């Protein structure tokens, strides 16, 4: 007989105790255990006695199936992860996540296709948003502990890998997210209730009863954390419940029953008390938004919303300024607070003060990043434009760097009188322009993002022009010079066609008045006016930079002679090496552009002189700030490499290095090939190469065993050089014109025609230098026909060569013939020169062999030493003594040895002179014979 059966005559004390404990057990446990019930028999008295004796010591246990256990564990771990993630305790997040994965795996097998708890899906979604989408920069990671930072990076990698399995659930959650803890608890309890309903249907209602809690988990937790007053009842409520329980007999007191009127009133009272303990609507909204948590400040106190008015604006603004730069200051929150302060500004003076602080905070928000994000940059530009608009609308306001600070509340009563504020508008312009340049340096230039970013250059140019107008009106000379230089930097590298479009767009967007520095007109006059203003008012550094930009702009538009005169008159080349690195880079760019301009005008020698120093260095990218090359002898540290990358110019400003190399090598070919031919024809001329870089390339090309057709620019120029040296000007012209890089120049066809004419002229000069020793005279008409040149041009070219002593010849105008002088016949051909050189070397070797043979026969003495010893009585003891004394060092025989050496040396010199005379006689005879045979 079961001990759980009891009779109607149970003791009142046991009934009251059991009934008071049942309420708490029903409210604490989600499910009741099953209880078996049978009919009461005559032996109920013994069952009641057994129950009464064991009811005090028995502990009630809750029986849960594995599905419920895994469900509760999943909800608990997911909630712990969300709490730890909110406080940036990523090490705890990582530990709980490792525990959560096996639990979810078991739960998935038990669910058999049912959906996972939404709190788990929301946990995965929040983790993905925090680690992957939002992320943390270096500054934020540095504020964390080392273990938390490592755990954050680990979780970031785990999310990318693990969330692929739950991508469908996460996407469905994002469409209908669960934001409150109540919905999560209801979602978790729904699964438990469904299981309970299934089990209830399997057992008859007369034998089993299951009490499923109606309150939600979050509300139940709130009731547990609330004051004890919520659990207190009036005496009437307790007595009524006890009297009601006394009327129940047996197990029927635990069956489900309809709530009575009194019970409904009690539940309503509890609900009203719980509602009074809930937070305010605004705080509730914040809790729903922040995963069910309440925002707290220092000391765990709930943050209160502060009312800001125009009267208290200065106080809050001063607090924000004092907190700037401190550790732990939330920069994003600072920007939000300043935006709210801007909305309550009562007048233009307060608005300017808030805007200056807001612009600084917006720039601080992106500190520590490689470049300022585009959206933040646009917000900063909008704030600067708003500040300039306020200053334009209120001309009585001025911002100076040396003005007095207005931290008092006197600006509340501002009525439009003149006032000055402390600040620097030009620093905002410089920072905005620098951030724009940094973004262009970082973004890949071959992507659409770079082109999209370039569209912001026109609004930035408008902002710079508006700042220039303000500085002109305010009379800030130093700031005006700096902003004018910024404006020139946006104009000097563009062509006039592009600048005209930029000026037109700027005129449409610009709202300020006309500038006194620039009176309008074409783009050339605009650039000239801006540069002239800096020549007159700027400091030396700004003046030098303006001069170099002006030179670059003139050279870009083929005004080479104007650019050359500016360079020579300014004497920049004498002090450029003492300037800063950015100015030196600008100087190199100006020289390179002048070389391109000279080449476009056909000035080959000038183009070579402007580019030879730059191209011979081997570090063109570094000198033009267009890349960081690898140095063989020097290894850059990470800090130095990062500094060099910060100096790099944006891609759209770069000079094409392949085009610059093509111009340099072509000019070198037109200069070096005729020089090589003249050096071979006249041995007396100097043989030093004009361009060693080109000569090394040509020698390397000639040493190749097999040469295929030219593929790149360098191969085409080397092939043209060899054809030009052979006198085949047609092939040389075709090779040069086949280079595709010429299409980058605006006047491509004119440049190709100019190069064809230059190749014809240099081919004629090379031909005359090479074959001048083979002809007595040559006709002008034949040369004109051979090289497809007009007769007048051939005549002028030959006259100049004769006048400059490049040819030993004379022009016969009557017969139209170039007559070579007799000196050319004395100069031998290349083969004859080689033969003479080899014969001289053979004679030198013969002399050396004779000397070595005589030394061997004389025992190591020269023939002069033997003759001196013979005069003293032959070779005997004295000779040996003299040698021994000489070897021993200072002594009596040392003077004799020195005397013997002098005599022998003199004899040797005489013998050598005689041999040299004989050799000269032999060479002279041979030369006379060769000349006689030639005549």
């Amino acid at each position: 007989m079961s001990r759980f059966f009891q009779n109607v005559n149970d003791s009142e004390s046991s009934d009251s105790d059991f009934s008071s404990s049942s309420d708490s057990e029903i409210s604490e446990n989600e499910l009741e255990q099953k209880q078996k019930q049978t009919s009461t028999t005559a032996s109920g008295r013994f069952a009641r006695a057994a129950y009464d004796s064991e009811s005090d010591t028995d502990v009630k246990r809750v029986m849960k199936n594995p599905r419920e256990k895994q469900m509760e564990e999943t909800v608990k771990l997911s909630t712990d992860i969300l709490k730890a993630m909110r406080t940036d305790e990523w090490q705890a997040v990582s530990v709980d996540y490792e525990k959560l994965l096996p639990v979810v795996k078991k739960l998935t097998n038990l669910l058999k296709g049912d959906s996972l708890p939404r709190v788990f899906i929301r946990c995965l979604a929040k983790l993905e948003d925090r680690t992957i989408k939002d992320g943390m920069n270096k500054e934020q990671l540095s504020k964390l502990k080392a273990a938390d930072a490592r755990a954050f990076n680990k979780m970031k990698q785990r999310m990318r890998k693990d969330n692929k399995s739950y991508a469908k659930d996460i996407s469905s959650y994002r469409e209908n997210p669960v934001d409150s803890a109540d919905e999560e608890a209801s979602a978790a309890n729904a699964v438990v209730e469904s299981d309970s309903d299934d089990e209830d249907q399997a057992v008859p209602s007369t034998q089993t009863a299951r009490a499923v809690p109606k309150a939600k988990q979050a509300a139940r937790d709130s009731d547990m954390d609330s004051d004890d007053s919520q659990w207190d009842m009036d005496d009437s409520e307790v007595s009524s419940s006890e009297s009601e329980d006394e009327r129940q007999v047996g197990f029927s007191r635990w069956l489900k029953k309809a709530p009575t009127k009194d019970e409904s009133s009690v539940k309503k009272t509890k609900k009203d008390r719980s509602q009074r303990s809930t937070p305010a609507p605004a705080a509730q909204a914040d809790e729903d938004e922040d995963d069910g948590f309440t925002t707290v400040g220092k000391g765990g106190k709930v943050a209160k919303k502060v009312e800001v008015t125009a009267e208290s604006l200065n106080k809050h603004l001063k607090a924000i300024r004092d907190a700037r730069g401190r550790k732990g200051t939330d920069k994003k929150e600072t920007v939000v607070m300043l935006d709210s302060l801007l909305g309550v500004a009562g007048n233009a003076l307060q608005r300017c003060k808030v805007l200056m602080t807001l612009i600084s905070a917006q720039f601080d928000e992106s500190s520590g990043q490689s470049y300022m994000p585009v959206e933040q940059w646009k917000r900063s530009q909008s704030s600067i434009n708003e500040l300039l608009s306020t200053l334009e609308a209120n001309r009585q306001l001025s911002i100076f760097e040396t003005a007095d600070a207005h931290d008092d509340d006197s600006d509340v009563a501002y009525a439009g009188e003149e006032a000055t504020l402390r600040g620097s508008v030009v620093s905002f312009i410089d920072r905005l322009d620098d951030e724009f340049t940094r973004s262009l340096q970082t973004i890949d230039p071959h992507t659409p993002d770079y082109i999209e970013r370039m569209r912001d250059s026109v609004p930035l140019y408008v902002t710079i022009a508006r700042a220039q107008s303000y500085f002109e009106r305010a009379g800030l000379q130093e700031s005006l010079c700096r902003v004018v230089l910024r404006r020139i930097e946006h104009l000097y590298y563009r062509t006039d066609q592009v600048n005209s479009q930029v000026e037109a767009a700027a005129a449409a967007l610009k709202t300020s008045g006309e500038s006194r520095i620039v009176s309008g007109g074409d783009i050339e006059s605009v650039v000239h006016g801006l540069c002239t203003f800096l020549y007159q008012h700027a400091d030396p550094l700004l003046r030098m930079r303006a001069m170099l930009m002006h030179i670059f702009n003139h050279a870009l538009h083929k005004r080479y002679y104007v650019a050359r005169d500016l360079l020579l008159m300014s004497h920049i080349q004498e002090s450029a090496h003492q300037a800063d690195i950015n100015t030196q880079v600008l100087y190199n760019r100006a020289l390179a552009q002048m070389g391109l301009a000279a080449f476009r005008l056909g000035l080959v020698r000038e183009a070579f002189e402007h580019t030879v120093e730059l191209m011979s260095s081997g570090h063109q990218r570094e000198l033009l700030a267009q890349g960081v090359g690898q140095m063989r002898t020097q290894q850059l540290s990470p800090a130095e490499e990062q500094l060099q990358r910060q100096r790099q110019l944006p891609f759209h400003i770069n000079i094409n290095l392949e085009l610059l190399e093509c111009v340099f090598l072509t000019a070198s070919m037109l200069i070096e090939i005729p020089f090589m031919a003249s050096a071979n024809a006249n041995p007396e001329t100097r043989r030093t190469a004009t361009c060693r870089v080109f000569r090394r390339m040509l020698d390397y090309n000639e040493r190749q065993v097999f040469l295929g057709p030219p593929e790149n620019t360098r191969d085409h120029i080397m092939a043209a050089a060899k054809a030009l040296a052979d006198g085949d000007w047609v092939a040389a012209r075709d090779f040069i014109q086949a280079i595709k890089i010429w299409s980058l120049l605006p006047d491509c066809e004119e440049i190709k025609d100019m190069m064809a004419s230059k190749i014809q002229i240099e081919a004629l000069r090379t031909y005359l230098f090479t074959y001048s020793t083979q002809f007595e005279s040559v006709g002008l008409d034949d040369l004109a026909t051979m090289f497809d040149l007009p007769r007048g041009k051939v005549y002028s070219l030959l006259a100049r060569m004769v006048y400059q002593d490049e040819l030993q010849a004379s022009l016969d105008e009557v017969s139209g013939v170039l007559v070579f002088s007799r000196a050319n016949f004395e100069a031998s051909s290349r083969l004859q020169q080689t033969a003479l050189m080899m014969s001289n070397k053979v004679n030198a070797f013969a002399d050396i062999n004779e000397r070595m043979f005589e030394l061997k026969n004389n025992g190591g003495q020269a023939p002069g030493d033997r003759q001196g010893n013979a005069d003293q009585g032959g070779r005997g003891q004295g000779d040996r003594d003299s040698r021994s004394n000489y070897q021993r060092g200072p002594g009596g025989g040392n003077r004799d040895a020195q005397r013997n050496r002098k005599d022998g040396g003199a004899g040797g010199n005489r013998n050598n002179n005689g041999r040299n005379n004989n050799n000269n006689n032999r060479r002279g005879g041979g030369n006379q014979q060769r000349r006689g045979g030639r005549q």
Side-chain angles (χ1 to χ4, degrees):
M1 185 69 63
S2 174
R3 61 185 174 86
F4 292 104
F5 291 105
Q6 57 183 354
N7 213 347
V8 180
N9 297 324
D10 287 342
S11 64
E12 189 171 327
S13 61
S14 63
D15 289 345
S16 61
D17 293 340
F18 196 75
S19 113
S20 61
S21 62
S22 63
D23 264 0
S24 61
E25 289 172 356
I26 291 175
S27 61
E28 290 177 357
N29 301 318
E30 294 181 357
L31 299 173
E32 285 186 14
Q33 63 178 353
K34 290 185 179 181
Q35 297 180 355
K36 297 181 180 181
Q37 180 181 5
T38 58
S39 60
T40 306
T41 60
S43 58
R45 180 176 54 186
F46 299 101
R48 184 175 65 249
Y51 175 77
D52 291 340
S53 62
E54 296 179 3
S55 60
D56 295 336
T57 60
D58 191 17
V59 178
K60 186 174 182 180
R61 294 180 298 173
V62 180
M63 303 297 296
K64 297 181 180 180
N65 56 25
R67 182 174 179 177
E68 296 172 3
K69 291 181 180 179
Q70 302 300 331
M71 182 71 71
E72 290 182 359
E73 188 69 15
T74 302
V75 173
K76 180 180 179 300
L77 289 174
S78 300
T79 307
D80 293 342
I81 288 175
L82 291 174
K83 291 180 181 179
M85 181 176 63
R86 181 177 177 81
T87 56
D88 284 339
E89 298 176 0
W90 290 100
Q91 191 174 8
V93 171
S94 179
V95 173
D96 291 340
Y97 185 77
E98 295 294 339
K99 296 179 182 178
L100 180 61
L101 289 182
V103 175
V104 173
K105 186 176 181 181
K106 295 179 182 178
L107 181 60
T108 305
N109 297 330
L110 294 173
L111 290 177
K112 298 179 181 180
D114 293 342
S115 60
L116 291 170
R118 289 182 64 84
V119 64
F120 169 70
I121 301 300
R122 184 167 71 91
C123 177
L124 294 181
K126 293 295 182 181
L127 281 173
E128 182 179 358
D129 294 342
R130 186 66 183 278
T131 57
I132 298 177
K133 292 185 179 180
D134 296 340
M136 287 189 181
N137 52 27
K138 293 182 179 179
E139 182 180 359
Q140 293 173 343
L141 285 175
S142 62
K143 295 180 180 179
L144 299 177
K145 298 180 180 178
D148 290 336
R150 290 193 297 267
F152 176 82
N153 294 328
K154 180 180 178 181
M155 290 301 302
K156 187 176 182 179
Q157 297 176 359
R158 293 294 301 269
M159 286 298 102
R160 291 175 177 170
K161 179 181 178 182
D162 297 343
N163 281 13
K164 295 179 181 179
S165 304
Y166 308 100
K168 185 177 180 181
D169 296 334
I170 293 175
S171 61
S172 61
Y173 164 77
R174 294 186 188 280
E175 295 176 358
N176 184 21
V178 176
D179 293 334
S180 65
D182 292 342
E183 295 183 14
E184 294 171 3
S186 62
N189 291 334
V191 179
V192 179
E193 290 178 2
S194 64
D195 297 340
S196 303
D197 295 339
D198 295 340
E199 294 178 2
D200 288 341
Q201 291 177 5
V203 180
S205 60
T206 59
Q207 295 181 357
T208 61
R210 184 179 300 271
V212 180
K214 303 299 182 179
K216 300 178 181 179
Q217 183 69 24
R220 193 163 56 246
D221 294 339
S222 175
D223 293 339
M224 293 173 63
D225 296 336
S226 60
D227 297 334
D228 296 336
S229 60
Q230 297 182 11
W231 298 98
D232 296 337
M233 293 184 180
D234 297 338
D235 295 338
S236 59
E237 294 176 358
V238 175
S239 60
S240 62
S241 62
E242 290 178 354
S243 61
E244 186 69 25
D245 291 337
E246 289 173 357
R247 289 192 294 268
Q248 302 292 334
V249 293
F251 190 71
S252 60
R253 65 187 298 181
W254 305 111
L255 295 178
K256 291 182 180 181
K257 57 182 179 296
T260 61
K261 183 176 180 181
D262 296 336
E263 292 177 352
S264 299
S265 62
V266 171
K267 291 182 179 180
K268 185 176 181 181
T269 304
K270 291 182 179 180
K271 183 176 182 182
D272 294 339
R273 291 174 181 173
S274 64
Q275 287 179 355
R276 285 196 300 268
S277 64
T278 55
Q284 184 67 32
D286 294 339
E287 290 180 1
D288 293 343
E289 183 178 357
D290 297 337
D291 305 331
F293 297 100
T294 304
T295 304
V296 296
K298 286 186 177 181
K301 298 180 181 180
V302 178
K304 296 181 180 180
K305 187 175 182 181
V306 181
E307 294 292 336
V308 181
T309 60
E311 290 75 11
S312 62
L313 185 140
N314 285 323
K315 181 180 67 175
H316 296 292
L317 195 61
K318 185 177 183 301
I320 292 175
R321 289 174 179 172
D322 294 340
R324 180 186 178 188
R326 292 182 180 176
K327 186 176 181 180
T329 302
D330 192 350
K331 298 177 182 179
K332 294 183 179 179
E333 184 180 356
T334 302
V335 174
V336 173
M337 294 173 62
L338 288 171
D339 285 333
S340 63
L341 290 178
L342 184 62
V344 300
N347 49 55
L349 185 59
Q350 288 186 342
R351 193 170 187 82
C352 288
K353 293 171 64 175
V354 177
L355 280 173
M356 286 191 294
T357 309
L358 175 60
I359 293 169
S360 301
Q362 287 173 343
F363 284 131
D364 292 342
E365 189 178 358
S366 63
S367 60
Q369 301 181 10
S370 58
Y371 68 96
M372 192 174 186
V374 180
E375 295 300 327
Q376 294 183 12
W377 185 90
K378 290 183 178 179
R379 287 196 296 268
S380 300
Q381 185 193 20
S382 177
S383 300
I384 294 175
N385 288 332
E386 188 175 356
L387 177 62
L388 293 175
S389 300
T390 305
L391 294 174
E392 291 168 0
N394 301 271
R395 294 181 177 268
Q396 69 278 6
L397 293 177
S398 300
I399 300 176
F400 298 94
E401 297 180 3
T402 57
D404 297 333
H406 286 269
D407 294 334
D408 52 0
D409 296 336
S410 60
D411 54 0
V412 179
Y414 176 75
E417 61 273 7
E418 291 187 1
T420 57
L421 294 174
R422 179 185 295 178
S424 178
V425 179
V426 69
S427 63
F428 296 152
I429 300 296
D430 291 342
R431 180 67 183 274
L432 189 68
D433 193 14
D434 292 340
E435 291 293 343
F436 178 75
T437 304
R438 287 174 59 188
S439 64
L440 292 177
Q441 291 173 349
T442 308
I443 299 174
D444 187 2
H446 305 290
T447 58
D449 296 338
Y450 191 89
I451 301 175
E452 189 69 23
R453 188 65 175 128
M454 277 294 298
R455 295 179 181 176
D456 296 330
S457 61
V458 177
L460 176 60
Y461 181 78
V462 174
T463 303
I464 294 174
R466 293 181 63 185
Q468 175 187 338
S469 301
Y470 164 70
F471 291 135
E472 288 182 23
R473 177 176 55 82
L476 302 176
Q477 195 71 23
E478 183 180 356
S479 300
L480 180 59
C481 292
R482 288 169 59 182
V483 79
V484 166
L485 184 65
R486 291 281 179 177
R487 186 173 179 181
I488 297 174
E489 288 178 352
H490 284 265
L491 293 176
Y492 82 98
Y493 63 89
R494 297 190 181 119
T495 60
D496 289 344
Q497 293 81 4
V498 178
N499 282 333
S500 60
Q501 299 295 329
V502 173
E503 287 289 340
L509 297 175
K510 190 176 178 182
T511 58
S512 60
E514 292 294 332
S515 173
R516 295 190 300 270
I517 299 176
V518 180
S519 59
D522 55 352
I523 303 300
E524 182 181 356
S525 61
V526 171
V527 176
H528 178 75
L530 295 173
C531 293
T532 304
F533 174 79
L534 292 180
Y535 298 157
Q536 298 173 354
H537 302 91
D539 57 359
L541 178 60
L542 299 183
R543 189 163 56 245
M544 180 185 294
R545 290 185 62 85
M547 179 69 71
L548 292 173
M549 293 179 190
H550 204 184
I551 292 171
F552 188 97
N553 187 261
H554 282 306
L556 183 64
H557 296 89
K558 291 180 66 174
R559 297 189 288 267
Y560 169 74
Y561 294 103
V562 180
R564 184 196 62 183
D565 295 341
L566 281 176
L567 182 63
L568 296 177
M569 289 187 299
S570 61
H571 299 281
I572 294 178
Q573 61 273 17
E574 298 176 1
S575 59
H577 64 281
Q578 299 177 354
D580 59 305
I581 296 180
N582 293 328
T583 305
Q584 293 181 20
V585 169
L586 188 58
Y587 174 75
N588 296 334
R589 285 170 52 83
L591 287 182
Q593 193 62 43
M594 287 181 66
L596 294 176
F599 187 82
R600 290 167 63 186
L601 294 175
L603 305 175
V604 178
R605 174 64 64 174
E606 287 79 0
F608 173 78
E609 292 175 352
H610 285 306
T611 57
V612 62
E613 186 176 0
L614 180 65
M615 301 304 296
S616 300
S617 64
H619 304 291
Q620 297 87 1
R621 294 182 181 275
E622 293 83 353
L623 294 176
L624 295 176
Q626 297 181 189
V628 180
Q630 296 294 334
M631 299 183 181
R632 297 179 181 177
T633 59
Q634 183 180 4
Q635 186 69 24
L636 295 178
S637 62
E640 294 176 350
E641 185 176 356
Q642 183 180 4
L643 187 60
Q644 284 195 8
R645 293 189 183 279
Q646 290 177 357
R647 298 193 192 106
Q648 303 307 306
L649 296 175
F651 181 77
H652 66 283
I653 305 179
N654 292 351
I655 297 175
N656 194 312
L657 292 179
E658 187 178 358
L659 176 62
L660 188 62
E661 183 185 19
C662 182
V663 169
F664 167 71
L665 292 179
T666 303
S668 301
M669 177 193 72
L670 296 176
I671 294 173
E672 189 69 19
I673 296 300
F675 175 77
M676 292 170 59
S678 64
N680 292 331
N682 189 2
E684 296 180 358
T685 59
R686 63 183 182 91
R687 293 179 176 270
T688 305
T690 306
C691 179
R692 296 182 178 179
V693 176
F694 178 82
R695 184 69 69 88
R696 284 197 300 266
M697 292 182 183
L698 187 61
D699 293 342
Y700 177 78
N701 188 272
E702 289 178 350
R703 288 196 301 268
Q704 299 300 314
V705 178
F706 172 76
L707 290 176
E711 297 178 356
N712 51 25
T713 302
R714 189 174 297 179
D715 292 343
H716 279 85
I717 295 176
M718 293 298 107
K722 291 195 290 186
L724 184 62
D726 295 338
D728 190 359
W729 67 272
V730 178
R733 180 197 62 187
D734 295 339
F735 281 127
I736 292 296
Q737 291 184 350
I739 299 175
K740 298 180 180 180
I741 199 68
W742 301 122
S743 59
L744 298 179
L745 294 174
D747 43 3
C748 175
E749 297 300 328
E750 297 179 5
I751 291 176
K752 288 183 178 181
D753 295 339
M754 179 271 297
M755 286 189 297
S757 176
K758 292 292 182 182
I759 289 173
Q760 289 174 330
I761 294 173
E762 298 304 328
L764 174 58
R765 296 179 71 243
T766 304
Y767 179 81
L768 292 175
F769 287 140
T770 304
Y771 300 104
S772 61
T773 59
Q774 310 298 326
F775 295 98
E776 293 182 355
S777 63
V778 62
L780 299 182
D781 295 334
D782 296 337
L783 293 176
T785 303
M786 184 182 302
F787 295 98
D788 196 14
L789 291 171
R791 189 177 185 277
K793 195 169 186 178
V794 172
Y795 180 83
S796 64
L797 175 62
L798 295 179
R800 186 172 71 250
M801 294 177 66
V802 171
Y803 177 76
Q804 295 177 354
D805 290 335
E806 294 179 351
L807 285 177
Q808 300 295 328
S810 60
L811 278 172
D812 189 354
E813 299 182 5
V814 178
S815 58
V817 173
L818 177 66
V819 180
F820 294 99
S821 64
R822 300 292 298 178
N824 289 323
F825 296 104
E826 295 178 359
S828 59
S829 64
R830 187 172 182 179
L831 179 60
Q832 293 170 346
Q833 290 180 12
T834 305
L836 287 175
M837 181 179 64
M838 295 301 295
S839 65
N840 292 333
K841 289 184 178 181
V842 169
N843 290 331
F845 288 143
D847 294 341
I848 293 173
N849 289 335
E850 289 179 3
R851 293 177 186 177
M852 295 297 294
F853 181 74
E854 291 177 356
L855 288 173
K856 183 177 181 180
N857 292 335
N858 296 331
Q861 278 191 333
D865 293 337
R866 186 175 67 251
Q867 183 68 26
N869 292 331
D871 295 339
Q872 296 177 2
R875 183 176 179 181
Q877 184 68 29
D879 189 25
R880 286 193 299 271
D881 293 339
S882 64
R883 286 201 304 271
S884 61
N885 290 334
Y886 174 72
Q887 292 176 358
R888 284 194 299 268
N894 191 17
R895 289 189 296 271
D896 297 336
Q898 292 178 358
R899 190 181 302 112
N900 292 336
R901 283 202 311 276
K902 291 180 181 178
D903 296 337
N909 290 334
R910 285 192 296 271
N911 294 333
N912 290 336
N913 291 334
R915 250 195 325 273
N916 290 334
N917 291 333
N918 294 332
N919 292 334
N920 291 334
N921 293 334
R922 289 197 300 270
R923 292 171 190 166
N927 291 334
Q928 293 294 335
Q929 291 176 2
R930 283 194 293 272
R931 290 173 186 157
R934 191 175 194 179
Q935 293 175 356

